Each structure stands twice: as C-alpha cells, then as structure tokens.
C-alpha cells in the first residue's frame, strides 16, 4: 500500500483559534472561557507552549479565590548553542467586566485580583542519600509533565517557601510583585535556569500553580495575561527577541476546569495537598472524558518515528489530532536507536482512541505520514507494526549505563507481546525504567506471522538482521562496549542465540558486530524452546506455505536446535555472562480450525516443557531456572505489580548492578 500523506493544521493553533496578524493566536474570548492553550511558538529547533490545565474556585482565609494551574513546555536541542538556557514567564491578573475584556469604570487598580500563593517557589537539584540513581519528582508520561532525572546521583527537590540557593543547583524560582499603581501583588514571574556547569538547558516541562483572590463585587471576572520570554544561547533570529501578543485568558468566576472535588475548595487549609496539585493533573486534561467513560471507545498504541528534537510532546499531539489533542496520550518519548544519527530523531509511543478515524482506518498497514505543517517536507511516520528497533526509555541527561533489548517470539508483536491482556500496562515501558533509570530499553520486532505468510526467511537471516540492527544502535565508540542484556521470549531466544554465535565469530576490530557478543552481560530466556516446541497443531495451518520448513525446525529433538545450542554453549562457556531461563507452569490453548477460521480453541498443551525451556540436562545450575505462573504466550504479559514481573525486574537489577 502507498504511504498516506495527510496535511496537518498549523501546530501552533487549536482549530477553534482565529489566527491574527503575524501568526498570533488573537482569539476573542467570547464563548472561550478557560481555553486550553494560552500561547505557543516554534522557531527553527526551539519551541515553547503554555497550557491552562486546572481552574477551581473556592476560598482562601474566607476570601473568594481561584486556583489556577499552568503547564509550560520547552523544546530545544540539549548541549547545543541553540538550547534555551533561561526563560521568564510573566502573568498579570486584572479585573474585567466581560469576555471582551471591558475594564471597569471607574477603574481602581487596588480592586484588581491579588496573588496570595504560588507553588512551587523553587526547584533545586540535590544529591541523593545513596549517591546513586536519583528519582523522578513529577510522575507520569511526557503528557503528564514528567520531570526526569537530571544526573546520576541527583534528584529534584521542590520548595513551597523560598530557601537560599547553594551552589549551581537552582533550576526554578518564582516571585509575586505589583507595580506603582498597585499596593498588592497582582503579577507572577516564573524563572527557569539551566545548571551552568552542565550546559544542558532549562527544564523541559514544569507545572506551576497560583491562588488568586478574586475582586470584590457580584461579578468576580478576571483576565490573565501571560508572556513567555525564552533566552537562547546563540541566535541571529530577531523573532526570538519579540514576545508574542496573544490574547489573555478569561476566567468568568464560574466555569471550572478539572475535577473540583479532587483536592477540596478551602485553599488555606494547613494540610491542603499542594504537592499533589503540581505533581498530577486533572484526569480530563490527560485524556478526554469520552475516552475514559465510554465502554464503546477503543484505543490502540501507535509508534511515532522521525520526531525532530525541536518538537515537544504537545506539538505532536496537535499534529496527530488538531481538533482534539486530548484524545492522544503520549506514553514514551526517547531518542531513536537505529537512525543514521540517533541524536537527530526522537521516537514515541502514543495511545489514540477511535475518535481519530484517520489512524484506526490504517491499523495493520505499513505506515502513515504526517507533515509537521503544510509547508514541511519532513513528516512524522506513524505505524502499529513496531518492526525494527523501538526505544521505550532512555535517560534524558544522565549517561546510559546499559542497553536492554527485548526480542519477541513466534508470530509475536514487538509491543503487544509484552503488554498485559485487556489493558494498557506494558512493563518494559511503564515500570522497568523506574527500576533501571540509567538503562536504554529497546524492543525489537520482525515479521514472523504464521498463517498466510509469504516469507521464506530462515532463522539465520532473521538473526543476521537482528545483529546488524543491534550493532547499528551501538555504533559510537562509547556505545560499542556498553553492557548489553537481552530479554528473549520463545522464538526470540533462538534468534538471539544465532545472532550471538555469529557475533562471536566476528573480529571486533573489523566490524562493530563483533562487539555485540563481547558486551553481553546477561540474557533472560523466557519460554525459549532450546530443545523444541509443540508444533503439531501448527502444521495444518502452515502446510504448503514458504515458512513450513522454518516451523518444522522447531520440533522436539530438532537436529538444528541441538547444533545451535552446542555452538551457543561453546561460545558462552568462558563468558562472564549471567544466563537465566524461565519456564511456563500453565497449559496453553492450541490452534484449531473453527468454521473455516483458525482459532486458539484446541486442546490444552504444554507448548515448551521445562526440559526444553531450561536445558536442565545440559547441567545448568538450579538457581538459574525459574517458573512463571502463566501459559506460553502470557508469560511475558505481566500485570502491574505482579510477582512474576518483580522476579524478572529483580534479576535485571542484579545483572546491572554487577556491571
């Protein structure tokens, strides 16, 4: 099928905005109370965006007040002369009479709203007690404004009160102020600073909040004028020096945004959960209500490739669904592993629900191309096949200390095979990165479908492709010898063994493929048929297809598998690599033909016996063999917090700690 090209709306605007002169937002706020986007700009490789995520009316020390929560995003290339090394954000609150911003008459400045509380007032980086991997403070996906580890051994510490800065550790600070006409503060200034010694730029994302006392009178309407002023280390573009002239936000004193019952309405309570306000967002701001409340709504995980480093997650959401970006949830955001230059492109996984038919109509096809705007020759590439390398997690600034590559099994899917059944939790993406914060986690996909296959590829050809792509993802000098761990399920383990045997025979001085074998510090073989797989139920399905011989090689007591295991064992006998094997303890449904359609409704069987999954008759130590309480397919589909996941996680952590 031809790749489909869609022309996306200008990503700086929501579709209900009216572009004004010079591309400013220029929306008139009639019927636009609490609009989502406040301001946005993209110039070359840098960008910024401000979003209003929460509005809640309540009281503060018996005065009427409003809690407003803002989210700020900055996109730029780290460690470059075009990075954003400082940004100031100014917000002015004034009284108004209507959505057209008619000022009161007569106008008395001291009747304007008063900013009584802001948070956080500072954010520092601080050394962790252990001196090892720091923890994230803001949790969630990029859409949830995650603040990730700054550097190994450091974590982020927000402050609700001003503290004297010590050293080169201040990342964010905020103040309130008035002017000559105001006795009270009606302005906020947020300042983002880079760590000068690191020169990696400011925080990419920050959530900030303010409590504002409302004007006296029957109509407590106010407007909030926000201006973002980023500073780039080096730029000859005069547009960077000109602040945007976007219309203010209209707060009508009635309409709220987010769940008003989530935190309570008395903002002066001594135990008010301020940290929760800036750590999490209202649920409807992450995904639309229709996507969470309607049982008929479907969703699917897509892969987005060729994302330029200058783009931010919200911009990608707008490109995918300009009319309703909230139906797009970005779940991972990391550098591509196998591009010509992995610092040039990012890759993301996103969940899109079926309110965006352009994507659901193309599930299963090769790819979808989305121009970043109508004049852009570079396009985002969207697919669901997940073939090749997909980076699911990578440290944002800290040095990568280990690569973990997961290889799926027979007729598997590089994403879906590792995801829980009937849910969205995918442990490689959603849990493992927090346990191994300095690991680059990659999943690898290849075409190995059973029914209807037209491929005559051999195990060796699959393995050659795997080895080439792993070597390509580790081609830089500092990457070639980086510790490497494979997680292999079912047939994926056969490919890993073939690839490593081939790598062991390559001179590292002549090819980077030789470094792959030498860098392996651990392998997790999960349900791998070292001595064969129950294939009798598969043979009628593949009879006469080009892949029939390949499947027959997997039969029990296969000569091919015996030779491969001997070669692999010889290669790794002297290697200081930890090798763990895992076997299934539950029976699996087999394939059978029902009304002319192949379904997994046949007799229950043990597809990979313990003796095949562990090769126990080859003298493996009992401590290296572990049961998984699941069927063959489900033994890598962990639910969140399951004991089997924790077993795998702990083994991976131990492998990493030893290298």
């Amino acid at each position: 099928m031809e790749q489909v090209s869609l022309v996306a709306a200008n990503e700086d605007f929501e579709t209900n905005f009216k572009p004004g002169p010079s591309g400013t937002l220029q929306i008139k706020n009639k019927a636009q109370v609490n609009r989502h986007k406040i301001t946005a700009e993209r110039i070359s490789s840098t960008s910024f965006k401000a979003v209003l995520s929460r509005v809640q009316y309540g009281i503060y020390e018996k005065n009427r007040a409003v809690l407003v929560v803002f989210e700020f995003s900055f996109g730029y290339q780290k460690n470059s002369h075009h990075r954003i090394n400082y940004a100031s954000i100014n917000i002015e609150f004034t009284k108004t009479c209507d959505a057209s911003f008619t000022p009161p008459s007569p106008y008395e400045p001291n009747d304007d709203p008063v900013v009584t509380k802001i948070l956080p007032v500072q954010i520092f980086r601080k050394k962790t007690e252990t001196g090892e991997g720091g923890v994230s403070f803001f949790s969630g996906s990029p859409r949830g404004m995650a603040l990730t580890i700054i550097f190994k051994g450091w974590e982020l510490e927000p402050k609700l009160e001003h503290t004297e800065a010590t050293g080169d550790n201040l990342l964010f600070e905020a103040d309130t102020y008035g002017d000559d006409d105001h006795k009270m503060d009606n302005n906020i200034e947020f300042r983002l600073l880079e760590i000068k010694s690191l020169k990696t730029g400011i925080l990419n994302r920050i959530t900030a909040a303010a409590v504002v006392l409302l004007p006296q009178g029957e109509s407590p309407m106010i407007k909030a004028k926000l201006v973002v002023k980023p500073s780039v280390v080096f730029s000859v573009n005069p547009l960077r020096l000109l602040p945007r002239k976007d219309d203010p936000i209209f707060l009508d004193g009635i309409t709220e945004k987010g769940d008003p019952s989530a935190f309570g309405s008395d903002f002066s309570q001594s135990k008010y959960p301020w940290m929760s306000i800036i750590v999490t967002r209202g649920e409807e701001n992450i995904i639309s209500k229709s996507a969470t409340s309607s049982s008929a709504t479907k969703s699917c995980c897509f892969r987005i490739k060729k994302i330029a480093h200058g783009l931010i997650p919200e911009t990608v959401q707008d490109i995918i669904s300009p009319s309703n970006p909230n139906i797009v949830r970005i779940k991972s955001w990391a550098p591509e592993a196998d591009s010509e230059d992995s610092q040039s492109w990012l890759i993301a996984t996103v969940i899109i629900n079926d309110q965006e038919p352009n994507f659901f109509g193309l599930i299963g096809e090769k790819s979808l191309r989305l121009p970043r705007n109508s004049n852009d020759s570079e396009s985002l590439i969207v697919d669901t096949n997940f073939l090749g390398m997909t980076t699911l997690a990578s440290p944002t600034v800290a040095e990568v200390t280990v690569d973990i590559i997961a290889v799926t099994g027979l007729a598997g899917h590089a994403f879906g095979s590792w995801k829980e059944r009937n849910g969205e939790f995918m442990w490689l993406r959603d849990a493992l990165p927090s346990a191994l914060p300095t690991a680059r986690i990659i999943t690898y996909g290849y075409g190995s479908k059973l029914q209807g296959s037209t491929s005559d590829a051999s195990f060796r050809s699959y393995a050659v492709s795997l080895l080439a792509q792993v070597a390509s993802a580790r081609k830089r000098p500092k990457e070639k010898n980086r510790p490497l761990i494979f997680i292999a399920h079912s047939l994926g383990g056969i490919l890993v063994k073939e690839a490593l045997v081939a790598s062991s025979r390559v001179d590292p001085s002549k090819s980077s493929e030789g470094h792959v074998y030498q860098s392996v510090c651990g392998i997790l073989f999960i349900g791998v048929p070292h001595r064969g797989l129950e294939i009798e139920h598969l043979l009628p399905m593949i009879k006469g297809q080009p892949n029939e011989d390949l499947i027959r090689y997997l039969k029990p007591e296969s000569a091919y598998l015996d030779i491969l295991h001997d070669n692999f064992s010889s290669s790794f006998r002297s290697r200081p690599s930890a090798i763990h094997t895992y076997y299934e303890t539950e029976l699996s449904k087999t394939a059978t033909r029902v009304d002319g359609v192949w379904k997994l409704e046949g007799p229950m069987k043990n597809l990979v016996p313990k003796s095949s999954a562990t090769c126990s008759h080859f003298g493996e130590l009992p401590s290296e063999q572990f049961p998984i309480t699941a069927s063959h397919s489900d033994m890598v589909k962990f639910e969140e917090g399951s004991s089997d996941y924790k077993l795998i996680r702990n083994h991976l952590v131990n492998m990493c700690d030893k290298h």
Side-chain angles (χ1 to χ4, degrees), residues 441-514:
I441 301 171
I442 298 168
T443 182
Y444 176 77
Y446 56 99
S448 64
K449 71 177 184 177
L450 289 171
Q451 187 181 7
S453 174
T454 59
S455 172
D456 61 355
S458 65
F459 290 123
R460 185 157 297 174
S461 61
Y462 280 131
V464 166
S465 178
L466 169 62
L467 178 59
Q469 293 201 43
V470 172
S472 176
R474 296 163 52 88
K475 58 182 175 289
R476 294 176 181 77
K478 65 178 181 180
E479 297 171 336
K480 290 181 179 180
N481 297 312
R482 179 188 295 159
L484 172 62
I485 296 173
F486 281 102
I487 306 172
H489 176 231
S490 191
L491 175 62
I494 305 301
L495 304 192
V496 168
K497 291 166 72 173
E498 275 275 21
L500 293 179
V501 169
S503 175
S504 69
R505 297 168 177 171
V506 176
D507 184 348
S509 65
K510 297 181 179 179
S511 172
S512 60
E513 292 184 357

Side-chain angles (χ1 to χ4, degrees), residues 450 452-458 542-551:
L450 289 171
S453 174
T454 59
S455 172
D456 61 355
S458 65
I542 60 167
K543 186 174 178 59
Q545 293 182 177
N547 62 339
E548 182 177 356
D549 287 343
L550 180 126
I551 302 303

Side-chain angles (χ1 to χ4, degrees), residues 35 62 91 146 231 309 330 338 380 414 442 448 470-471 534 543 546 567 573 587 611 650:
R35 74 173 188 257
K62 299 182 179 180
I91 309 173
S231 172
H309 267 271
I330 295 181
D338 56 351
L380 305 181
I442 298 168
S448 64
V470 172
E534 170 56 57
K543 186 174 178 59
N567 291 336
R573 189 162 286 124
L587 302 179
S611 59
N650 293 342

